[in-house]
Amino acid sequence: MNWFDNVSSDCDQPIAPARLMQGHWRHRLHAYAEPALCRVVVDVAEPRVVAAQVIENGIARDLGASVLEELTQTLLDQEVHHHPSAWGFTECTMLPNWARPTFSERQIEELERIEGYLIEASEDTFDSVLKLRDEFLKSIGLTDLDIYRAVRQPQQGKAPRKSSRMLVN
């Protein structure tokens, strides 16, 4: 079996390679607030906001999922994805170091499918599946480190640690 033949093959529309653009945007975070400066990464192939941070008082913090959806809708309404360079966005081949990535539902499904291949892989095919995963991540502008940051970093503040004593009755 050629693992590479299966990437997105069961989808009606295969997942398009990412076309990442980064830039700044002023976005109203609350109904009555002044627009705040945000740094943004947009995938214009999808089109959606992949990552964004608000910069207030010199401190950058990640925006939550609902604000990312609002920001995506705002950029779509302004048709930024059609001519991102006209809005001051510049192309980037990989996600910037500051960005905490988010994924579309289709990307998550594809990553889960590749994970299934990893679970079923023999020693002979394991490296091929890892290569498949790396190629898929590269096509959407991400690396292993980006996946780690997306999964391991808490959304809001620090999560309480569980000690091993909590698991024992």
Side-chain angles (χ1 to χ4, degrees):
M1 169 186 234
N2 184 353
W3 297 100
F4 295 98
D5 290 342
N6 286 327
V7 177
S8 300
S9 63
D10 64 351
C11 299
D12 291 338
Q13 297 176 334
I15 298 170
R19 200 169 132 228
L20 301 177
M21 305 290 283
Q22 66 179 335
H24 290 86
W25 190 265
R26 291 207 172 269
H27 183 68
R28 191 176 311 272
L29 300 175
H30 308 286
Y32 302 106
E34 291 294 317
L37 181 64
C38 299
R39 55 185 177 184
V40 179
V41 177
V42 179
D43 179 355
V44 294
E46 182 94 4
R48 68 181 187 87
V49 174
V50 174
Q53 290 182 330
V54 62
I55 303 170
E56 295 177 308
N57 301 321
I59 298 172
R61 65 179 168 82
D62 293 329
L63 295 178
S66 62
V67 178
L68 286 178
E69 288 176 15
E70 291 172 14
L71 186 54
T72 295
Q73 191 56 52
T74 300
L75 295 177
L76 287 173
D77 291 346
Q78 295 290 326
E79 298 184 356
V80 172
H81 59 288
H82 291 301
H83 301 288
S85 57
W87 293 87
F89 284 80
T90 57
E91 192 168 348
C92 55
T93 56
M94 299 302 286
L95 205 61
N97 288 335
W98 61 263
R100 181 168 188 240
T102 61
F103 304 93
S104 70
E105 287 299 317
R106 292 179 51 220
Q107 290 170 340
I108 290 170
E109 289 169 4
E110 190 64 24
L111 286 168
E112 287 173 344
R113 193 160 69 120
I114 294 170
E115 182 180 317
Y117 292 162
L118 279 172
I119 291 168
E120 296 173 5
S122 67
E123 286 185 28
D124 296 335
T125 59
F126 191 78
D127 287 339
S128 296
V129 179
L130 285 177
K131 186 176 178 183
L132 168 71
R133 185 198 60 184
D134 292 345
E135 287 296 318
F136 178 72
L137 290 175
K138 184 178 177 184
S139 77
I140 61 172
L142 302 176
T143 64
D144 280 338
L145 179 60
D146 296 319
I147 297 293
Y148 179 80
R149 285 187 302 173
V151 173
R152 298 292 181 205
Q153 290 180 346
Q155 283 282 0
Q156 301 291 331
K158 291 188 176 185
R161 283 188 79 160
K162 294 183 180 179
S163 69
S164 58
R165 287 184 279 176
M166 293 176 75
L167 301 175
V168 178
N169 289 331

